[in-house]
Amino acid sequence: VENVRLLDRLSSRKAALGTLYLTATHVIFVENGSETRKETWVLHSQISSIEKQATTATGCPLLIRCKNFQVIQLVIPQERDCHDVYISLIRLARPVKYEELYCFSFNPKLDKEEREQGWKLVNLNEEYIRMGIPNNYWQISDVNRDYGVCDSYPTEVYVPKSATAHIIVGSSKFRSRRRFPALSYYYKDNNASICRSSQPLSGFSARCLEDEQMLQAIRKANPGSDFIYVVDTRPKLNAMANRAAGKGYENEDNYSNIKFQFIGIENIHVMRNSLQKMLEVCELKSPSMSDFLWGLENSGWLKHIKAIMDAGIFIAKAVAEEGMSVLVHCSDGWDRTAQVCSVASLLLDPYYRTMKGFMVLIEKDWVSFGHKFNHRYGNLDGDPKEISPVIDQFIECVWQLMEQFPCAFEFNERFLIHIQHHIYSCQFGNFLCNSQKERRELKIQERTYSLWAHLWKNRADYLNPLYRSDHSQTQGTLSPQMAPCNFLYKFWSGMYNRFEKGLHPRQSVTDYLMAVKEETQQLEEELEVLGERLMNLQKSQLNDNKIKSKQQDQSKQLGLSISNNSLANTPQEYSNDLKSFPSRSSSQGDEEDSALILTQDNLKSSDPDLSVNSDQESGVEDLSCRSPSGGGCLPSEDSGKDSDEAVFLAV
Amino acid sequence: MLRSSQPLTGPNRKRCREDEMLLATVLDEGERGFIIDTRSAQAAKQARMTGGGTEPKSFYLRWRRLHRPLERGRPLQESFIKLVEACNDTSINMDRWLSRLESCRWLSHVKAALSTACLAAQCMDREKANVLVHGAEGTDTTLLVTALAQVILDPSCRTLTGFQGLLEREWIEAGHPFHLRCARSAYSHARLKQEAPLFLLFLDCVWQLSRQFPFSLEFGECLLLTLFDNAYASAYGTFLCNNEKERRVGQGENTHSLWAWLNQPGERKKYLNPLYSHNALVIWPSVEPQSIQLWQGLFFRWIRSSQYLDEAWAEIWRLVEGN
């Protein structure tokens, strides 16, 4: 469709004119104009909702909201075209079969061997071995080898030594969705562990011997403690209501030696609404400080983030400080349980704060333990009530921790943002379907590529320059303050306002420091090389002088010319390096999303605003265009009418 | 950019030919001027009743007046006190924290101050117009705007020395009554009438700029905290008294200059920003609410440990110096 306008969210008068294309996998807007030919690419998988707004004199507006928080506002001149686009997008954004998804056509031009290697990058068996398992207390069980016991669990589960197959099977029958207690993390310093499950089908009074034995087995696997914690991550009221439906929670009277604890985290519906409200705040045009803060509080989003974090902190403390094992569950044990277990693991074990370790963590607690990616993130068209930003919340918890402990993580904010992006993009096969069983049935590993390999290949973009493995912040457990600490939770504009370049510092400190670090390294290496050469030269010159006294001048000349040649080479490299040293210009921030750019040649960043057509100076774009006044960019004479006021309106 | 206090128009719309001529001569042939009045239109009008007022349009041709009300005086001090109380209140849970923060209004004041300073800068840089800033007395919000505008516009005000010079010119010599304004700070029960944290508001705005432009200021947060401390209680005479006249009497030979102390080679390093690189351009901040953050380094200074952030800062120094 031609003559389409792409509006800028912040300044409604700034619009780009161009052509809109719809392909099988993307929506593409190509800007007219000889110089820039800027392209905006949006994957259909990313589209969360499409809104057709009332036709105005300028055309028919279409609003596309994406799961990665990008909001695209188009104005299509003809109403009929707009309607066609709208209908098409609705269909394209709601695939019915997995095969429609991008990952099945995405071709990064790797051979079969490379594809396989990519999938092998993250290996959970190796991870459990790293933890120290199997050992005297824990073992692998193949009881679920054909998914016969629990179809949302992996084929290999780790259980206490004293948990026989009989106990496991019996316990699974007493747990919602058959998700019996299994090991998530083993803390070898004191043998405490984090286990996870779903809620017991206890109703008001039902009991199950095997399930009680299962918990005892977990307790016995930690000889250093007489008790285990059982943590129910639901609000007490919800858990109690579940009892009426024949489910519920563990009764301390029936399970020997447990300490039961509720840590109320709200359910997926509350979280979905919370995000919705927060995004509405983000869409406000020129909100006042009051509007923003009230809106943010009203959404409850940061409150929920804090609740998840507090739960993780509680469990990490129980394990590290009290030496007690913890069994975590919610209702089905695949949402809040996953969040809380992975936050706790991250706090306890510095390995998970490395890039590789983080990939392993997600693979372990989210992918292998059957988090319902398809239902939660809408790979395929499904029940809208299943959609919920569960992993988004976990990723935000990690970001909040990064802000509090800037030296503790090997990876940077961009890593998190790109992971979130790809959970929704369906460009790679890691986050498809609802369980390992479904993924194996679809032969995901033979037909798609692994995100982890892609990120690993580009890992230079994702490093945190402040990370040092020998730094005190990276050793041992992280202990965030639990209180007072409300103020420690910040609004993550890097994620929720990701595509609004005007809101973020144009100059990336991370990129600059990484470049500094690299340059220092290169210089140090060069210094070494030069040092060696100097030594060799001095040696050879010495020899020359000793042996050939009559040819002294000649050899000196030789020595000089050799040294000249060798020196003549290095300044060139040096200055090349300098050239690649990022200049602190206003365009610096644009490279941020470059690693997101798909490896296929013709694919571009989905970043809508790579333009430097705004202010040449560093900082925000041309402010005068944000003026709501219809007239020019001049601040008008003050006549008391707010609508005439220029840009910086008083609050 | 000029600054002054309010014209004494009064209820009878008095004129002053000299004042009109002065402002007329500022404008060259064809140039325009903007008057940024830091009072609301209504407050400015009411000021006439007590002898003050605004510049009448007809006598100040080619000058356009804009009103950008900025909070000052008692209400600003209350805002500050409420914020400090909220930060110290351990009983607030996350449910109520943001609305409590909002009710202090401090961040709104930061947003308004930055917006107004940007407006002044925009008039000069974009519209190539002259700007006159005044409120009522010309000693509070006026200085806030003119000083901030210069940090935004002028790279030389962003160096350590340049910033000190700016403070000397736009705050100290310009007659901001430090002695009255920075008397007891937020904890005191003595609610002094003349006390108001304009200077702190200025420092907060500068901190916001340093966060949005991490490479553009030669100094870091440490300097801003030191200035805050010394404005209220100091071993040095720099922020003493209320104006030049009072200082002439007391200071000079009797006290030491804070700048002399700060600029010593050993001390100076503490206040520098390792990421600094001269930026010749104007720095236009974003004043969207998401871009304005609570200055944790100041408001939580004694409440939470800054250990991890300090370590990060040390690491940055290490990386830059290693290079």
Side-chain angles (χ1 to χ4, degrees):
Chain A
V1 181
E2 294 184 333
N3 294 319
V4 173
R5 289 209 318 280
L6 174 68
L7 301 184
D8 182 292
R9 194 192 84 74
L10 281 181
S11 81
S12 50
R13 288 166 61 247
K14 240 166 75 163
L17 192 66
T19 309
L20 187 69
Y21 299 88
L22 254 61
T23 71
T25 50
H26 289 80
V27 181
I28 310 169
F29 176 82
V30 181
E31 209 175 294
N32 293 345
S34 44
E35 281 178 23
T36 47
R37 219 200 120 84
K38 226 183 65 181
E39 298 181 6
T40 304
W41 289 61
V42 177
L43 269 169
H44 295 317
S45 312
Q46 286 286 3
I47 298 177
S48 169
S49 71
I50 311 147
E51 190 187 322
K52 208 166 85 116
Q53 293 170 325
T55 309
T56 67
T58 47
C60 195
L62 199 67
L63 196 64
I64 302 175
R65 290 189 180 87
C66 297
K67 299 171 187 172
N68 62 0
F69 313 114
Q70 187 170 9
V71 178
I72 302 203
Q73 205 162 1
L74 300 166
V75 179
I76 300 177
Q78 299 291 339
E79 206 276 335
R80 220 193 51 178
D81 289 333
C82 183
H83 188 73
D84 285 345
V85 170
Y86 175 67
I87 297 293
S88 308
L89 280 180
I90 295 232
R91 174 63 189 86
L92 289 166
R94 293 181 190 165
V96 185
K97 291 192 324 252
Y98 278 110
E99 283 73 9
E100 292 177 55
L101 295 176
Y102 185 39
C103 52
F104 290 100
S105 54
F106 171 59
N107 178 14
K109 303 199 171 64
L110 300 171
D111 60 36
K112 208 174 85 141
E113 170 80 25
E114 285 167 311
R115 188 214 303 259
E116 254 181 62
Q117 282 305 107
W119 283 106
K120 293 202 175 113
L121 185 66
V122 173
N123 181 324
L124 286 183
N125 281 339
E126 279 171 23
E127 170 55 12
Y128 284 99
I129 291 174
R130 184 196 71 85
M131 279 191 226
I133 299 169
N135 63 12
N136 291 335
Y137 307 112
W138 296 91
Q139 63 185 3
I140 294 189
S141 168
D142 68 346
V143 71
N144 199 39
R145 64 188 161 282
D146 299 315
Y147 304 105
V149 179
C150 173
D151 64 0
S152 61
Y153 264 10
T155 48
E156 279 162 359
V157 284
Y158 291 79
V159 296
K161 262 272 165 60
S162 55
T164 63
H166 172 77
I167 291 177
I168 296 172
V169 173
S171 168
S172 79
K173 295 197 175 125
F174 195 64
R175 294 274 163 182
S176 174
R177 319 279 182 174
R178 317 269 293 234
R179 292 169 68 87
F180 56 88
L183 179 72
S184 164
Y185 180 71
Y186 170 69
Y187 191 65
K188 55 166 116 64
D189 287 6
N190 61 16
N191 296 313
S193 66
I194 302 176
C195 294
R196 53 183 292 181
S197 71
S198 57
Q199 65 184 322
L201 304 175
S202 50
F204 287 101
S205 57
R207 290 181 71 161
C208 168
L209 179 64
E210 290 84 6
D211 193 69
E212 290 167 28
Q213 286 172 332
M214 188 71 188
L215 266 61
Q216 275 186 46
I218 293 173
R219 181 174 53 78
K220 281 189 266 176
N222 179 12
S225 174
D226 295 328
F227 286 84
I228 64 168
Y229 273 112
V230 175
V231 170
D232 188 330
T233 58
R234 299 170 292 180
K236 184 166 179 184
L237 233 53
N238 297 20
M240 285 172 64
N242 265 285
R243 281 198 302 187
K247 303 179 208 175
Y249 54 93
E250 293 80 352
N251 186 337
E252 270 179 358
D253 295 334
N254 299 340
Y255 292 82
S256 56
N257 297 347
I258 69 165
K259 289 197 175 143
F260 188 83
Q261 181 89 19
F262 280 113
I263 299 185
I265 301 173
E266 301 290 347
N267 64 33
I268 57 167
H269 310 294
V270 173
M271 301 310 192
R272 182 179 56 250
N273 290 331
S274 176
L275 179 63
Q276 179 59 32
K277 288 213 184 111
M278 186 171 74
L279 293 178
E280 280 165 20
V281 176
C282 294
E283 277 193 39
L284 292 174
K285 294 230 194 296
S286 303
S288 67
M289 203 73 214
S290 291
D291 292 337
F292 179 72
L293 290 173
W294 270 108
L296 193 55
E297 177 161 283
N298 197 31
S299 75
W301 182 259
L302 290 178
K303 180 183 75 170
H304 300 313
I305 297 291
K306 180 171 187 293
I308 296 164
M309 189 82 90
D310 284 347
I313 295 172
F314 174 84
I315 290 167
K317 275 207 164 90
V319 167
E321 291 173 23
E322 295 179 65
M324 276 176 63
S325 293
V326 185
L327 171 65
V328 189
H329 70 76
C330 45
S331 295
D332 294 322
W334 46 41
D335 293 314
R336 288 165 279 195
T337 302
Q339 292 172 325
V340 160
C341 287
S342 33
V343 170
S345 304
L346 197 66
L347 293 172
L348 285 168
D349 194 333
Y351 176 64
Y352 297 127
R353 293 174 234 138
T354 64
M355 209 179 285
K356 185 86 186 299
F358 190 69
M359 298 180 190
V360 168
L361 182 66
I362 294 184
E363 199 61 40
K364 175 169 71 76
D365 275 306
W366 295 83
V367 177
S368 82
F369 268 102
H371 177 68
K372 298 197 297 174
F373 284 93
N374 177 27
H375 282 177
R376 293 286 172 267
Y377 313 117
N379 303 157
L380 301 180
D381 190 30
D383 181 0
K385 292 221 173 55
E386 291 277 345
I387 303 275
S388 191
V390 183
I391 204 170
D392 305 60
Q393 288 182 319
F394 164 65
I395 290 172
E396 176 162 344
C397 285
V398 182
W399 178 78
Q400 299 282 358
L401 282 170
M402 273 168 51
E403 290 284 295
Q404 290 183 43
F405 301 94
C407 300
F409 292 82
E410 190 189 28
F411 48 86
N412 60 28
E413 181 188 35
R414 184 183 293 135
F415 188 60
L416 295 177
I417 292 180
H418 287 190
I419 291 178
Q420 191 268 1
H421 178 98
H422 282 302
I423 285 170
Y424 290 98
S425 77
C426 301
Q427 183 181 336
F428 300 92
N430 309 63
F431 309 114
L432 256 42
C433 309
N434 286 330
S435 65
Q436 192 192 69
K437 175 169 187 255
E438 286 181 24
R439 279 185 288 274
R440 288 203 183 157
E441 280 165 5
L442 268 180
K443 299 206 195 324
I444 293 292
Q445 294 198 2
E446 288 138 66
R447 301 161 71 192
T448 68
Y449 294 86
S450 168
L451 173 67
W452 301 139
H454 171 77
L455 294 177
W456 190 248
K457 203 160 68 129
N458 293 310
R459 61 188 175 282
D461 292 335
Y462 300 123
L463 290 172
N464 169 17
L466 302 183
Y467 175 80
R468 260 177 28 225
S469 52
D470 59 343
H471 194 283
S472 61
Q473 266 185 44
T474 66
Q475 313 290 330
T477 63
L478 280 185
S479 307
Q481 251 178 293
M482 271 185 84
C485 61
N486 302 323
F487 50 84
L488 290 174
Y489 291 90
K490 303 186 214 164
F491 173 76
W492 192 5
S493 70
M495 171 66 88
Y496 304 110
N497 290 124
R498 179 177 159 199
F499 294 95
E500 291 169 64
K501 291 296 188 205
L503 252 45
H504 312 132
R506 286 253 178 137
Q507 306 155 313
S508 164
V509 176
T510 301
D511 289 344
Y512 169 68
L513 289 174
M514 276 314 300
V516 167
K517 223 176 171 177
E518 277 169 33
E519 199 201 39
T520 305
Q521 234 176 328
Q522 279 170 352
L523 289 174
E524 279 170 1
E525 284 164 19
E526 265 170 46
L527 203 63
E528 261 189 64
V529 170
L530 286 175
E532 279 174 28
R533 277 202 199 148
L534 194 64
M535 267 188 357
N536 291 337
L537 275 175
Q538 284 170 340
K539 272 192 218 148
S540 69
Q541 272 195 330
L542 262 166
N543 291 338
D544 287 346
N545 289 342
K546 271 192 223 157
I547 295 167
K548 295 168 187 179
S549 52
K550 65 169 176 165
Q551 281 183 326
Q552 207 169 32
D553 287 2
Q554 212 175 353
S555 56
K556 255 200 208 148
Q557 276 174 11
L558 266 172
L560 274 172
S561 60
I562 290 171
S563 62
N564 271 342
N565 282 338
S566 54
L567 281 175
N569 285 332
T570 44
Q572 260 181 333
E573 290 164 25
Y574 188 81
S575 57
N576 279 340
D577 292 336
L578 263 189
K579 263 193 229 151
S580 68
F581 202 91
S583 61
R584 271 58 87 26
S585 71
S586 55
S587 59
Q588 175 59 33
D590 304 337
E591 272 99 67
E592 230 191 273
D593 278 315
S594 60
L596 176 63
I597 296 172
L598 316 172
T599 51
Q600 228 169 317
D601 291 339
N602 59 339
L603 296 174
K604 304 296 196 304
S605 164
S606 55
D607 182 344
D609 187 19
L610 283 176
S611 70
V612 192
N613 62 351
S614 48
D615 203 358
Q616 291 307 303
E617 296 133 9
S618 49
V620 161
E621 67 281 351
D622 190 7
L623 300 154
S624 53
C625 291
R626 276 210 235 150
S627 167
S629 72
C633 296
L634 306 174
S636 61
E637 179 184 1
D638 183 25
S639 57
K641 278 191 281 170
D642 279 350
S643 57
D644 284 341
E645 303 284 81
V647 176
F648 292 102
L649 299 172
V651 169
Chain B
M1 185 161 58
L2 307 160
R3 51 174 157 78
S4 70
S5 53
Q6 66 178 322
L8 300 175
T9 328
N12 299 323
R13 297 172 193 263
K14 273 192 290 187
R15 281 183 72 172
C16 170
R17 294 293 191 293
E18 289 90 344
D19 193 76
E20 291 163 25
M21 256 172 38
L22 184 57
L23 285 187
T25 53
V26 167
L27 300 179
D28 283 342
E29 190 64 45
E31 273 187 342
R32 292 171 302 129
F34 290 97
I35 300 175
I36 296 180
D37 191 325
T38 59
R39 303 166 294 178
S40 67
Q42 204 191 27
K45 206 164 158 193
Q46 274 176 352
R48 289 218 308 247
M49 300 308 142
T50 47
T54 56
E55 295 81 352
K57 246 188 291 180
S58 32
F59 305 138
Y60 293 84
L61 299 171
R62 295 189 295 145
W63 283 93
R64 284 181 169 171
R65 189 168 15 101
L66 303 169
H67 286 276
R68 290 291 178 277
L70 293 180
E71 196 67 88
R72 53 189 282 275
R74 193 78 228 134
L76 190 65
Q77 179 70 8
E78 286 298 334
S79 173
F80 176 42
I81 292 172
K82 273 173 108 171
L83 177 58
V84 171
E85 276 173 5
C87 293
N88 280 309
D89 189 345
T90 49
S91 71
I92 323 177
N93 55 25
M94 202 63 208
D95 273 3
R96 294 271 160 269
W97 164 247
L98 291 173
S99 53
R100 181 77 181 266
L101 181 60
E102 191 283 324
S103 71
C104 303
R105 308 276 305 152
W106 181 260
L107 293 178
S108 300
H109 299 318
V110 172
K111 183 182 196 298
L114 276 172
S115 302
T116 309
C118 285
L119 175 63
Q122 196 179 18
C123 292
M124 294 177 70
D125 185 74
R126 290 307 166 87
E127 309 300 327
K128 311 286 182 228
N130 296 285
V131 173
L132 168 65
V133 185
H134 72 73
E137 277 108 63
T139 53
D140 294 277
T141 53
T142 304
L143 305 181
L144 176 58
V145 173
T146 57
L148 256 185
Q150 287 177 60
V151 179
I152 289 169
L153 285 168
D154 189 352
S156 67
C157 290
R158 297 182 221 133
T159 62
L160 184 54
T161 333
F163 189 66
Q164 291 171 23
L166 177 72
L167 294 175
E168 269 290 328
R169 278 195 322 276
E170 295 302 312
W171 286 93
I172 297 172
E173 281 173 14
H176 179 71
F178 279 97
H179 182 70
L180 291 172
R181 298 286 179 266
C182 300
R184 303 288 181 83
S185 189
Y187 288 130
S188 167
H189 292 295
R191 304 288 214 235
L192 301 172
K193 247 178 51 163
Q194 290 283 358
E195 176 144 23
L198 271 311
F199 187 59
L200 170 59
L201 185 55
F202 168 70
L203 295 176
D204 195 327
C205 291
V206 175
W207 180 79
Q208 305 288 343
L209 289 172
S210 76
R211 224 187 45 84
Q212 294 195 29
F213 298 96
F215 297 91
S216 300
L217 300 183
E218 196 187 19
F219 47 89
E221 186 181 49
C222 190
L223 178 70
L224 301 175
L225 291 172
T226 304
L227 290 169
F228 168 70
D229 289 340
N230 279 280
Y232 282 89
S234 183
Y236 304 91
T238 307
F239 290 104
L240 272 185
C241 307
N242 289 313
N243 47 53
E244 270 298 283
K245 181 174 175 199
E246 288 181 20
R247 274 186 284 273
R248 287 254 162 85
V249 176
Q251 213 189 45
E253 303 82 51
N254 295 337
T255 65
H256 292 283
S257 156
L258 174 64
W259 310 137
W261 168 256
L262 289 181
N263 289 323
Q264 290 176 102
E267 268 301 294
R268 198 166 195 272
K269 166 124 181 244
K270 285 202 309 210
Y271 305 106
L272 292 175
N273 169 17
L275 299 172
Y276 175 67
S277 152
H278 173 77
N279 179 359
L281 307 173
V282 178
I283 53 174
W284 299 108
S286 159
V287 293
E288 296 298 311
Q290 294 93 322
S291 306
I292 296 177
Q293 287 189 10
L294 182 59
W295 186 5
Q296 289 198 14
L298 183 103
F299 292 104
F300 296 108
R301 200 170 170 194
W302 313 113
I303 298 173
R304 60 105 177 93
S305 159
S306 61
Q307 175 194 350
Y308 304 112
L309 301 174
D310 293 341
E311 283 172 5
W313 197 240
E315 190 60 28
I316 294 177
W317 265 115
R318 205 186 65 90
L319 283 174
V320 169
E321 284 188 318
N323 186 257

